[in-house]
Amino acid sequence: MSQHLVYVTAATNEEARAIAKTIVAERLAGALEWVYWWDGPVQSEPEVSFILKTKSELLEPLIARIKALHSYDCPCVVALPIAVGNLDFLNFIDKKTV
């Protein structure tokens, strides 16, 4: 079984917290001012990023759920595989997700 860190951004701390709480409650993952280009000019607005911990088989439902909860038309959701890590921590991810 392989685990992933999932990088997500949100418009506010409140939105990030709400998404993270729902994702953790549904056991899809465990729960973490931006300048960017979007739709023409360079934008500068507050943005929040957080990191979720999950396993491979939950990536598709996790991404779908984040998209359903998110205020953005095209939310940033990127999964990064964990190549090496603390085995106790990796086992924790397996136990805390469905």
Side-chain angles (χ1 to χ4, degrees):
M1 189 171 318
S2 62
Q3 295 82 14
H4 292 73
L5 294 177
V6 180
Y7 173 78
V8 182
T9 61
T12 65
N13 284 327
E14 292 77 20
E15 181 181 33
R17 188 173 295 111
I19 291 171
K21 282 184 177 181
T22 300
I23 294 304
V24 170
E26 293 175 2
R27 298 191 65 186
L28 290 171
L32 304 182
E33 185 164 328
W34 196 248
V35 176
Y36 59 96
W37 175 88
W38 178 254
D39 204 22
V42 172
Q43 307 285 325
S44 178
E45 298 177 20
E47 188 172 72
V48 178
S49 60
F50 56 100
I51 296 174
L52 301 168
K53 303 162 288 264
T54 196
K55 47 193 172 189
S56 296
E57 61 266 23
L58 294 177
L59 283 173
E60 287 186 33
L62 173 63
I63 292 167
R65 190 66 173 125
I66 290 169
K67 288 172 70 176
L69 293 167
H70 214 287
S71 66
Y72 290 179
D73 292 334
C74 182
C76 170
V77 183
V78 179
L80 307 168
I82 300 172
V84 178
N86 174 354
L87 188 56
D88 293 333
F89 176 73
L90 300 179
N91 289 332
F92 172 80
I93 293 172
D94 285 340
K95 291 177 187 172
K96 294 299 178 181
T97 53
V98 274

